[in-house]
Amino acid sequence: RKVDLAVDQDAQINISHHGSWVGLAADKGILTGVDVMSTFNPKAGELISRFFKDFDTCFTEYEWDTIKSHGPEESKLYRAFFVHWALKESYIKAIGIGLGMELLRLEFTVEPSVF
C-alpha cells in the first residue's frame, strides 16, 4: 500500500522493514537512520557459526568479542548480532552511502542493558 507523506523539505526521513516490523525515523536538521530486525535465525537449520562466517568482514574484533560474549545460547547470540548490525545499517543509511561502505571502519560500543 502506498503512503503519501507531507514533510518539510529539510526533513530527514528513513524507513526500514523486516518481516512484519516497520520503523520510521524523521527529524529536521539532523542525520536520521533507522533499521529494524527480528532476532531469529534467518536461515533455519544453518549453524550459527556458518551464519556468522558470512559476516566476518562486517564487524571489528571488539564487536565480535561483544557479540560472542552473549553465548552459548543461540537466541542471545542472534540478538547481540542483530543489535550491532542494526546500528551499522542505521548509521550508513543516515549518511546516505549504503552497504558500499567498508563496515570495519565503524565500531559501536553497546551498553549491556540493551541486551
Side-chain angles (χ1 to χ4, degrees):
R1 178 169 130 144
K2 184 178 177 184
V3 176
D4 291 317
L5 298 174
V7 295
D8 187 289
Q9 184 176 354
D10 296 325
Q12 295 282 323
I13 299 174
N14 201 272
I15 299 172
S16 177
H17 67 90
H18 187 247
S20 61
W21 292 82
V22 176
L24 181 139
D27 208 330
K28 185 175 179 178
I30 64 170
L31 294 175
T32 304
V34 65
D35 188 47
V36 294
M37 296 293 303
S38 299
T39 57
F40 64 93
N41 179 350
K43 297 179 181 179
E46 180 180 38
L47 294 175
I48 196 167
S49 59
R50 176 68 188 128
F51 176 78
F52 282 178
K53 181 83 173 130
D54 290 341
F55 295 90
D56 266 356
T57 60
C58 296
F59 298 103
T60 66
E61 183 177 344
Y62 171 79
E63 289 169 323
W64 276 122
D65 288 347
T66 302
I67 292 166
K68 291 176 181 177
S69 74
H70 291 277
E73 189 178 325
E74 282 194 8
S75 64
K76 291 180 180 179
L77 288 167
Y78 280 116
R79 177 170 170 74
F81 171 87
F82 284 120
V83 164
H84 281 83
W85 180 259
L87 285 168
K88 290 199 180 215
E89 191 156 330
S90 295
Y91 179 79
I92 61 176
K93 288 171 69 179
I95 62 174
I97 61 171
L99 289 173
M101 179 180 184
E102 183 182 338
L103 294 178
L104 289 175
R105 294 177 55 202
L106 300 172
E107 183 173 84
F108 289 93
T109 301
V110 181
E111 293 291 322
S113 62
V114 171
F115 302 105

